């Protein structure tokens, strides 16, 4: 209840103003809570409505919930831009993409992750243009799968050994003896290479391993079947197989990016994607904040409270933590 009084000097009623943090109708903590439940736990609007009415004794319409989420999306835009800037300055990034849907039209959810931040972007295409939009001027060391766009990377790249191991395992399980033999041989060598991330080889061990890999490629390279295609793929990826042994802080697989995409995949399966560009912006921003907070062991909810409070009071949010680890 706002206080008001009659001013005899002005001959008019004077009423206390609404505090800035309450002009939106709901305070920063409730607004942030709705954003937390919807964005970092993937809860639907009607479930949020039921939760707020039953647990918090706060009845909310679906329209009010959407307005609160719009405010959260607006509040964390500076965080999203700061995360993007930090990702594009990192010396090493793990990049991957997965399908997304905008009103049943195929789009792609991209992620650019490292030890400190994870930056997400939804783009209509899976192409060089989309990749360029994701990285902009970044020119560091790329860890990725064998997608053709990544293979044209002009600086150093570590190809994901886990993808190659899965392909080799599939060959090893084929009914054809020749294909199975090639797959089993490749599987053993690739697993040995991956193990070198935790147990660096001696000079002799490395030369012996390299010689075996060269024999494998020479033996199967000219075959027209899947064994030959896999041998030629290994030859094509040769310079990207063991970068993790020469560059500190580089992992032999792209599991970091794949883990970062997992929640987005579950979101897509649950909601069938988004229905508007505004929905895409919400997904990009909240996923970037959620995963970055996880990487830095921060409470997403407390960051959201501070962000929404900053929005309501018209001040800059605290962003310095994004560049820290």
């Amino acid at each position: 209840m706002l206080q008001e009084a009659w001013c005899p000097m002005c001959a008019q009623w004077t009423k206390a103003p609404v505090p800035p943090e309450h002009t939106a109708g709901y305070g920063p903590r409730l607004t942030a809570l709705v954003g937390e439940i919807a964005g970092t736990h993937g809860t639907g609007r009607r479930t949020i409505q039921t939760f707020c009415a039953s647990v918090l004794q706060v009845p909310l319409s679906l329209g009010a919930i959407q307005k609160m989420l719009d405010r959260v999306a607006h509040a964390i835009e500076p965080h999203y831009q700061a995360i993007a800037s930090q990702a594009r300055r990192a010396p090493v990034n793990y990049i991957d993409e997965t399908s997304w849907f905008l009103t049943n039209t195929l789009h792609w959810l991209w992620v650019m992750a490292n030890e400190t931040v994870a930056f997400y972007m939804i783009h209509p295409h899976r192409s060089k243009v989309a990749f360029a939009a994701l990285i902009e001027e970044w020119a560091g060391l790329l860890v990725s799968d064998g997608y053709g766009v990544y293979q044209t990377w002009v600086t150093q790249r570590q190809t994901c050994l886990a993808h190659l191991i899965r392909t080799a395992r599939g060959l090893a399980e084929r009914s054809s003896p020749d294909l199975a033999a090639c797959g089993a041989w490749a599987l053993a060598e690739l697993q040995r290479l991956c193990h070198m991330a935790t147990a660096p080889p001696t000079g002799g061990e490395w030369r012996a391993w390299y010689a075996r890999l060269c024999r494998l490629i020479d033996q199967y390279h000219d075959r027209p079947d899947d064994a030959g295609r896999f041998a030629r793929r290994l030859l094509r990826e040769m310079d990207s197989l063991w970068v993790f042994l020469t560059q500190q802080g580089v992992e032999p697989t792209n599991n970091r990016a794949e883990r970062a995409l997992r929640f987005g995949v579950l979101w897509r399966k649950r909601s069938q994607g988004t229905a508007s560009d505004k929905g895409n912006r919400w997904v990009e921003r909240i996923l970037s904040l959620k995963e970055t907070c996880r990487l830095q062991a921060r409470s997403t909810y407390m960051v959201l409270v501070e962000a929404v409070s900053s929005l309501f009071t018209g001040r800059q949010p605290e962003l310095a933590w994004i560049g820290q680890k």
Side-chain angles (χ1 to χ4, degrees), residues 5-325:
W6 172 262
C7 179
M9 301 296 294
C10 301
Q12 62 182 7
W13 287 96
T14 301
K15 190 173 185 178
V18 178
E21 63 270 23
H22 296 295
T23 55
Y26 301 100
R29 297 185 69 84
L30 180 60
T31 303
L33 179 62
V34 170
E36 167 85 6
I37 297 173
T40 67
H41 296 280
T43 307
R45 308 293 192 270
R46 293 193 180 277
T47 304
I48 295 173
Q49 185 183 44
T50 301
F51 171 82
C52 290
S54 176
V55 178
L56 305 180
Q57 299 295 299
V58 178
L60 296 172
S61 67
L62 295 179
I65 292 172
Q66 185 57 54
K67 287 182 179 179
M68 296 166 82
L69 294 180
D70 290 344
R71 292 185 186 111
V72 174
H74 184 42
I76 63 176
E77 182 180 5
H79 300 73
Y80 182 68
Q81 298 301 330
I83 290 169
S85 178
Q86 183 68 20
R88 290 165 178 157
R89 289 198 302 265
V92 180
N93 271 309
Y94 301 74
I95 295 181
D96 203 358
E97 77 293 327
T98 189
S99 57
W100 190 264
F101 295 97
L102 172 61
T103 57
N104 299 319
T105 301
L106 180 62
H107 279 52
W108 295 89
L109 174 64
W110 294 74
V111 67
M112 184 179 189
N114 52 61
E115 293 182 349
T116 305
V117 299
F119 171 60
Y120 294 76
M121 179 194 76
I122 296 176
H123 196 278
H125 305 294
R126 184 185 185 225
S127 63
K128 286 186 178 180
V129 173
F131 180 56
L134 178 74
I135 67 172
E136 291 192 351
E137 300 300 320
W138 179 73
L141 195 156
L142 169 65
V143 183
S144 71
D145 58 27
Y147 177 41
V149 167
Y150 304 138
Q151 291 186 20
T152 61
W153 187 240
V154 295
T155 55
Q156 278 193 306
R157 182 177 76 89
Q158 169 65 51
T159 194
C160 179
L161 295 186
H163 281 76
L164 294 173
I165 287 172
R166 284 196 290 269
T167 302
R169 182 174 285 112
L171 276 177
E173 294 171 353
R174 299 283 282 273
S175 58
S176 167
D178 288 345
L179 293 181
C182 174
W185 187 358
L187 178 62
E189 300 305 336
L190 290 170
Q191 287 177 331
R192 287 191 185 97
L193 177 60
C194 200
H195 181 66
M196 292 177 191
T198 55
T202 63
E205 290 171 339
W206 172 254
R207 288 190 292 273
W209 179 88
Y210 184 78
R212 290 194 302 271
L213 180 68
C214 290
R215 285 200 302 273
L216 167 67
I217 293 174
D218 288 342
Q219 181 169 330
Y220 292 97
H221 182 271
D222 296 329
R223 293 174 62 106
D225 56 12
D226 288 343
R229 281 186 284 274
F230 187 56
R232 291 188 291 274
R233 179 181 175 186
L234 290 175
L235 180 62
R236 188 170 59 249
E237 296 271 29
M238 183 76 82
D239 292 339
S240 302
L241 290 178
W242 50 76
V243 174
F244 69 94
L245 292 176
T246 61
Q247 298 293 329
Q248 186 175 6
V250 177
E251 299 169 9
T253 71
N254 199 30
N255 288 346
R256 183 181 294 274
E258 292 186 346
R259 288 194 301 269
L261 280 177
R262 192 167 298 151
F263 187 78
V265 171
L266 294 175
W267 191 326
R268 181 196 68 211
K269 290 182 177 180
R270 182 179 60 251
S271 65
Q272 302 304 309
T274 44
S276 66
D277 287 333
K278 182 177 73 172
N280 280 355
R281 303 294 82 77
W282 162 243
V283 171
E284 292 171 338
R285 294 173 188 178
I286 196 63
L287 288 186
S288 297
L289 185 65
K290 173 185 183 297
E291 183 64 12
T292 298
C293 285
R294 187 192 71 80
L295 290 171
Q296 302 202 25
R298 279 184 172 264
S299 165
T300 310
Y301 173 66
M302 297 310 298
V303 173
L304 288 174
V305 170
E306 197 278 331
V308 176
S309 298
S310 298
L311 175 68
F312 287 173
T313 56
R315 58 183 172 83
Q316 274 294 108
E318 173 58 44
L319 301 175
W321 63 271
I322 291 175
Q324 300 172 356
K325 178 60 176 176

